[in-house]
């Protein structure tokens, strides 16, 4: 028998090593994986070529290769495939294979993280680190957590898509740098970053100049450029140290408004705009707006929209979701802005899994100009997150009363992030729940229910008269975890009927509700709370990412409860409590 494939000894060794690793990842008997590693080593040190042994039917003469393994090697070398390996691979979460690429994270640790925290992907692992989940985990600790965060930082550089929050800083730095070139006459970030998408592929930057070579030279000298990908007369692409690509497009000052509109996108919005232009017998592209060969002059995007009888469409709305019709009828809403936010809810302290104290969080909220902060540590079932016992709640409430007396510039509201238990109940008795100003209900476990079960579970939690807010309603983690199966339309309609607020979680990896559902919630009559879900003082600043998505979801300040002042939001909490007792 001869090898009918081009599989070499080297391929075989890699295969056996990978099987050993996969078995370890799956938690099979360690003897099994060791046998594969040993066989790989023995084959490596073999003198004769593996094909000779195969032809002679003498594979079993190699130390560590028994009958079963010899059969597998034969299958691999003769067919080029090994069914056993393919099945093994399928039995292991794909994310494990991604995690194993992180230096310092071996199969044992990956299994431990999966068993104790249900982590299956690098993104979930990063999120868990940010929530300090590894600090008290046996075999881990704060140092390991910090090391893991550092290697993840490096890992993310090579992803195809990036979180908006990971890229915007470098994009703004690049823009500020390019702007320093004297020949730059106008400049703007474009593409998905300008539309404030939750994830982005690259940085699109647009410049107007009369001296393209000078601008190109300056751009190429940006200190954070790692390599040049393409260099043409109007477009240059580089890879930055963050791992993302940056595309610079160079146009004349006259072309700038049209190019800005074009390169902002989205593609679907552009297509819809072109159809509209056609109705006016106009042609539209990145260089201009034309009636036959005559160019229609526009000096800004505003004028470009005006030429098509449209009001200005904010970039966030340019997703072909009815924005052109709204601009035609003058019904584009005044979108919420960060300066509309009066206070923040959903904040964790050192009492559960946060890393800053109540006092320092309140201090940061004051510095940020907020009128109130709503504390909501985890509830008792969330043992992995230091969920609060009834005694700890009492102590926290005393502390909040004290601080409210001492700090006249801020109102601290007493809240809790209560787990929604698998049967849809909340985590404490009514006698405990009634001591809070507000109760946030959220799913943190049992993600794998059927859609019907999960929908019922959440709807039941919304029926609880103590529930004020439903948090991170779909459970998705951007680029790392799909939403759990749930009928969100049903949940949103139920929340509307029950007067429940739904959270737009501002953490850049959650942003859940997503922007399409935000709009559906608004149209269903649900109020939204843009919540930072902060686990430290810096986390309070994530609110801006939530505002971006709220804008993409067409929300105004009136749609968001945390644009209310202290008195008004207190009345909402109070009214809810009155309903319970009436
Ligand atoms: P990304 O990069 O995947 O996060 O999303 P975008 O929207 O930034 O996409 P990108 O960088 O490929 O292109 C930037 C903009 O340029 C895009 O939003 C619209 C415009 N554009 C690019 N290619 C086309 C195209 O083939 N047709 C039209 N109509 N517009 C395009
Ligand atoms: Ca882009």
């Amino acid at each position: 028998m001869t090898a009918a494939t081009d599989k070499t000894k080297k391929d075989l060794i890699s295969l056996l090593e990978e099987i050993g690793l996969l078995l370890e990842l799956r938690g099979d008997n360690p003897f099994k994986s060791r046998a594969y590693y040993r066989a790989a080593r023995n084959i490596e040190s073999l003198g004769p070529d593996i094909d000779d042994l195969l032809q002679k039917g003498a594979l079993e003469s190699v130390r560590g290769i028994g009958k079963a393994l010899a059969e597998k090697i034969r299958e691999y070398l003769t067919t080029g495939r090994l069914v056993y390996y393919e099945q093994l691979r399928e039995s292991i979460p794909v994310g494990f294979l991604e995690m194993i690429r992180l230096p310092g994270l071996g199969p044992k640790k990956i299994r431990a993280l999966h068993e104790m925290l249900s982590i299956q992907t690098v993104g979930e692992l990063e999120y868990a680190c940010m929530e300090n989940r590894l600090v008290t985990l046996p075999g881990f600790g704060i140092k390991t957590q910090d090391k893991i965060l550092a290697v993840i930082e490096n890992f993310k550089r090579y992803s195809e898509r990036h979180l908006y929050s990971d890229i915007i800083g470098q994009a703004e730095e690049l823009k500020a740098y390019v702007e320093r070139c004297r020949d730059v006459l106008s400049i703007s970030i474009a593409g998905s970053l300008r539309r404030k998408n939750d994830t982005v592929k690259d940085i699109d930057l647009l410049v107007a100049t009369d001296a393209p070579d000078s601008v190109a030279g300056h751009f190429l000298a940006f200190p954070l450029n790692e390599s040049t990908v393409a260099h043409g007369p109007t477009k240059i692409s580089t890879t930055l140290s963050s791992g993302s690509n940056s595309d610079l497009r160079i146009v004349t000052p006259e072309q700038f408004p049209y190019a800005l509109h074009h390169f902002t996108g989205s593609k679907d919005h552009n297509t819809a705009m072109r159809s509209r232009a056609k109705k006016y017998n106009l042609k539209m592209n990145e260089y201009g707006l034309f009636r036959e060969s005559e160019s229609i002059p526009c000096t800004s995007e505003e004028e470009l929209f005006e030429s098509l009888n449209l009001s200005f469409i904010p970039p966030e709305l340019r997703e072909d979701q009815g924005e052109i019709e709204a601009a035609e009828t003058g019904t584009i809403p005044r979108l919420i802005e960060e300066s509309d936010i009066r206070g923040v809810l959903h904040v964790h302290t050192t009492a559960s899994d946060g890393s800053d104290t109540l006092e320092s969080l309140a201090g940061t909220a004051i510095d940020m100009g907020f009128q109130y902060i709503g504390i909501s540590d985890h509830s008792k079932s969330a043992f992995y997150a230091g969920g609060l016992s009834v005694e700890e709640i009492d102590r926290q409430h005393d502390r909040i009363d004290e601080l409210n007396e001492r700090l006249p510039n801020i109102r601290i509201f007493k809240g809790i992030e209560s787990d929604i238990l698998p049967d849809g109940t909340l985590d404490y008795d009514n006698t405990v729940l009634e001591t809070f100003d507000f109760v946030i209900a959220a799913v943190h476990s049992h993600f794998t229910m059927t859609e019907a079960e999960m929908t019922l579970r959440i709807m039941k939690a919304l029926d609880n008269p103590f529930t004020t807010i439903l948090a991170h309603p779909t459970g998705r983690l951007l680029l790392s975890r799909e939403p759990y199966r749930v009928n969100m339309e049903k949940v949103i309609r139920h929340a509307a009927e029950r007067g429940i607020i739904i959270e737009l979680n501002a953490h850049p990896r959650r942003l859940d509700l997503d922007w399409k559902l935000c709009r559906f919630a608004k149209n269903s009559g649900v109020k939204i709370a843009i919540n930072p879900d902060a686990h430290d003082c810096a986390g309070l600043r994530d609110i801006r990412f939530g505002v971006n998505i709220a804008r993409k979801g067409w929300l105004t300040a009136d749609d968001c409860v945390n644009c209310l002042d202290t008195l008004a939001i207190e009345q909402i909490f109070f009214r809810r409590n009155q309903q319970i007792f009436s």
Side-chain angles (χ1 to χ4, degrees), residues 191-192 201-204:
S192 50
K201 180 188 69 195
D202 54 15
I203 299 171
D204 297 290

Side-chain angles (χ1 to χ4, degrees), residues 22 26 236 248 274 291 294 310 316 358-359 385 391 394 398 432 436 453 503 528:
L22 292 173
R26 201 168 68 173
I236 311 176
L248 174 73
R274 282 180 194 178
R291 177 168 285 116
E294 175 210 349
L310 299 172
E316 295 90 330
L358 188 53
E359 289 84 340
E391 294 72 38
D394 285 344
D398 289 345
V432 179
F436 297 107
E453 285 167 346
E503 171 179 279
I528 300 292

